[in-house]
Amino acid sequence: MGAVRRELAEHGPPRSPHGGPDFVTVTLPKRDGDQVRDLLVDERVGAVVEIGLAYAGSALAISEALLRTGSRNPRHVVIDPFQFTAYDGVGWELLCSLGLNTIAELVNEPSQRFLARLADAGFAADAAFVDGSHHFHNVFVDLHFLGEIVRPGGVVLLDDVWWPSVAAAVAYFETNLGWLPIPGALADGTADPASGRPRTGAYRLPDPRPTPDFREFRPFC
């Protein structure tokens, strides 16, 4: 698995969809993927929800973590409504070529709709990785439902928190719902050269889940 991730990072996907999004721009860099993998291994995850498949860079790191933990029934729910349009199925084909479709399932619809049904079905995950829409309202909805799906004490990781829209969305959950940044978890990852802000963020959910009073709302950005 590590060799495939290195090959992907160094040479790009096996094929490039015509007019598809730029690989380097959208793909999680390998060193960030290594840190995501290591954190999930330390958490001994057995079920992970991932939003955004693209070229499968982060999905490979997550799959590697799931296989390393030795869970009896590893599950990797991947949500990407654009996998067979913008990406022409390249990321999913790569996962299938490695036999990872035995632990992964691909959902081809917007996460903001599917996550609501997943939560309603009582699905429980140990962690989530969020790299889908970067519109504030979509990220906010994703995080709301992941707060119900990821078990208390579990972790939520986000890519592109250097974007103000993503940072503002997670700030609400940190400020009002007690999501705690995990110190040093992704400290050696990619940072914005101009601002120094990190690309990825990791948060631990409170245990038990809070039930905040609306009268105690705190501004978050």
Side-chain angles (χ1 to χ4, degrees), residues 135-148:
H135 290 289
F136 168 83
H137 53 281
N138 287 333
V139 181
F140 185 93
V141 173
D142 285 344
L143 297 181
H144 165 71
F145 285 113
L146 288 173
E148 298 182 8

Side-chain angles (χ1 to χ4, degrees), residues 14-185:
R15 63 184 178 85
S16 298
H18 178 70
D22 177 63
F23 171 77
V24 174
T25 301
V26 304
T27 300
L28 188 72
K30 184 179 180 300
R31 63 172 176 167
D32 299 85
D34 288 344
Q35 292 188 109
V36 168
R37 176 203 61 202
D38 293 345
L39 175 58
L40 295 179
V41 169
D42 289 344
E43 293 291 319
R44 301 197 61 78
V45 298
V48 178
V49 175
E50 179 176 14
I51 300 175
L53 175 58
Y55 296 105
S58 56
L60 288 170
I62 293 168
S63 296
E64 187 175 353
L66 284 165
L67 294 176
R68 285 193 184 189
T69 59
S71 172
R72 292 183 178 180
N73 185 31
R75 293 196 66 183
H76 185 185
V77 179
V78 187
I79 308 168
D80 190 340
F82 305 109
Q83 178 56 205
F84 293 108
T85 52
Y87 296 96
D88 196 28
V90 171
W92 184 242
E93 287 176 9
L94 182 56
L95 293 184
C96 291
S97 72
L98 297 170
L100 294 173
N101 53 318
T102 58
I103 66 171
E105 55 191 280
L106 177 62
V107 178
N108 296 297
E109 64 178 281
S111 54
Q112 295 79 36
R113 293 204 290 264
F114 179 74
L115 288 175
R117 298 204 305 276
L118 197 62
D120 190 53
F123 183 83
D126 300 301
F129 182 83
V130 182
D131 187 18
S133 170
H134 290 3
H135 290 289
F136 168 83
H137 53 281
N138 287 333
V139 181
F140 185 93
V141 173
D142 285 344
L143 297 181
H144 165 71
F145 285 113
L146 288 173
E148 298 182 8
I149 292 167
V150 176
R151 62 172 174 78
V155 297
V156 173
L157 300 93
L158 296 95
D159 190 24
D160 294 325
V161 291
W162 53 19
W163 285 102
S165 56
V166 178
V170 75
Y172 167 80
F173 294 88
E174 184 179 353
T175 304
N176 286 280
L177 291 181
W179 291 25
L180 294 175
I182 302 176

